[in-house]
Amino acid sequence: MPGPRLAAALTAILWGFTYLVTTDMLPPHPTQAAALRALGGGAFLLAVGREALPRTWLWRLFVLGTLNTGIFFVLFFIGAMRLPSGVAAIFQALGPIATLLFAWALLHRRPSGAQFASLILGAAGVTLVVLKSSAALDPIGVAAALGSMVALTLSGILMNMWGRPPIGFSAFFGWQLMIGGIELAILTALNGDYGGTADAMTLGAFALLAVVLTGVPFLLWFRAISMIGAVNVMPFILLTPVTALVIDAVVKSVVPTPLQMLGIVVVIAALLLNYRASQPKA
């Protein structure tokens, strides 16, 4: 396993591919996509870590699975399908700031001025990278993108508060994905949000989404949080929209503007500032 910061960076980069898969390869059914992503990712992790669900942790796993899978996934897909990828990514970039606020309120960890400055700088850099004057701000999409960010952030803080049960990381996160996936499958059946052709490309896209962009990243991301804390991990989410921009440039021949290139530099500077601010003082 890579170190916690490298794991967080790799996760954020992998998540940058999710926008391309969602918008170009999946049918426009957000709850169906969320359910299949969660159930597939959960099944993969449980196949790796074959451990039973601990009864004493049942309610906590239910809360975590509902937040970081049930709520996060469906709102993420709604936001991704109703907003331009760049605009949706801006709201995800607010996650580090929300993490500092939640940690202050729930864990009584007062953030330093340098930490706040680094995250605001990072959010500004992401804005330069992805925001365009022609971006349409659909209200439902905006609310969904904000809600998904809050759900993922809060689950990381609660994981810091509660620790983890006496089972391996794969089983711990696999059960969370399965709990959220079952919730999403029920929601999909109730609202009839399913359909699309089951051709080879669609099935391959769902497999890619479930294993490479969900199972593996979830394991890396929350393992990093358990090791160094959500406050130190969440800033790496700023790499996700930068990755999406690079993918657009390579796959769709969308050449970055000088302003977008400046935004990438600002994001990297913000991550370096946050890293220095989070190091223990001698």
Side-chain angles (χ1 to χ4, degrees), residues 196-275:
T197 57
D199 55 26
M201 189 183 82
T202 302
L203 294 176
F206 274 120
L208 175 67
L209 186 66
V211 177
V212 180
L213 302 181
T214 302
V216 173
F218 253 59
L219 179 60
L220 294 174
W221 184 258
F222 288 108
R223 180 177 178 272
I225 285 178
S226 71
M227 295 176 68
I228 61 174
V231 171
N232 293 322
V233 170
M234 200 63 186
F236 286 94
I237 201 71
L238 298 173
L239 292 174
T240 297
V242 174
T243 303
L245 175 69
V246 174
I247 293 170
D248 278 346
V250 173
V251 176
K252 300 181 179 180
S253 300
V254 179
V255 180
T257 66
L259 201 60
Q260 288 175 317
M261 296 301 296
L262 174 62
I264 293 175
V265 173
V266 171
V267 168
I268 294 172
L271 288 173
L272 292 174
L273 176 60
N274 182 272
Y275 175 79

Side-chain angles (χ1 to χ4, degrees), residues 106-166:
L106 299 178
L107 304 180
H108 308 292
R109 295 178 183 174
R110 186 185 181 93
S112 67
Q115 284 179 309
F116 259 126
S118 70
L119 298 181
I120 292 173
L121 181 65
V126 170
T127 301
L128 292 175
V129 169
V130 300
L131 187 61
K132 298 179 181 179
S133 60
S134 59
L137 296 181
D138 176 83
I140 296 177
V142 169
L146 282 172
S148 68
M149 177 271 294
V150 171
L152 183 65
T153 299
L154 183 56
S155 71
I157 294 296
L158 291 177
M159 201 170 296
N160 277 164
M161 291 177 60
W162 295 339
R164 67 183 180 94

Side-chain angles (χ1 to χ4, degrees), residues 37-228:
R37 178 186 185 185
L39 292 173
F44 167 74
L45 288 179
L46 290 178
V48 175
R50 302 175 183 178
E51 296 180 82
L53 184 66
R55 292 184 179 180
T56 56
W57 260 75
L58 185 59
W59 73 272
R60 291 181 180 179
L61 285 172
F62 174 79
V63 172
L64 292 173
T66 300
L67 283 172
N68 64 34
T69 301
I71 295 176
F72 170 67
F73 277 9
V74 71
L75 293 182
F76 173 86
F77 279 110
I78 291 173
M81 291 180 180
R82 298 183 71 103
L83 294 173
S85 297
V87 177
I90 288 176
F91 295 108
Q92 295 301 319
L94 297 176
I97 298 174
T99 300
L100 282 181
L101 297 177
F102 276 127
W104 192 358
L106 299 178
L107 304 180
H108 308 292
R109 295 178 183 174
R110 186 185 181 93
S112 67
Q115 284 179 309
F116 259 126
S118 70
L119 298 181
I120 292 173
L121 181 65
V126 170
T127 301
L128 292 175
V129 169
V130 300
L131 187 61
K132 298 179 181 179
S133 60
S134 59
L137 296 181
D138 176 83
I140 296 177
V142 169
L146 282 172
S148 68
M149 177 271 294
V150 171
L152 183 65
T153 299
L154 183 56
S155 71
I157 294 296
L158 291 177
M159 201 170 296
N160 277 164
M161 291 177 60
W162 295 339
R164 67 183 180 94
I167 57 176
F169 282 105
S170 296
F172 182 34
F173 304 126
W175 281 116
Q176 292 179 48
L177 285 167
M178 291 300 292
I179 289 170
I182 292 171
E183 294 172 346
L184 291 167
I186 295 172
L187 178 61
T188 301
L190 290 176
N191 66 11
D193 185 32
Y194 50 84
T197 57
D199 55 26
M201 189 183 82
T202 302
L203 294 176
F206 274 120
L208 175 67
L209 186 66
V211 177
V212 180
L213 302 181
T214 302
V216 173
F218 253 59
L219 179 60
L220 294 174
W221 184 258
F222 288 108
R223 180 177 178 272
I225 285 178
S226 71
M227 295 176 68
I228 61 174

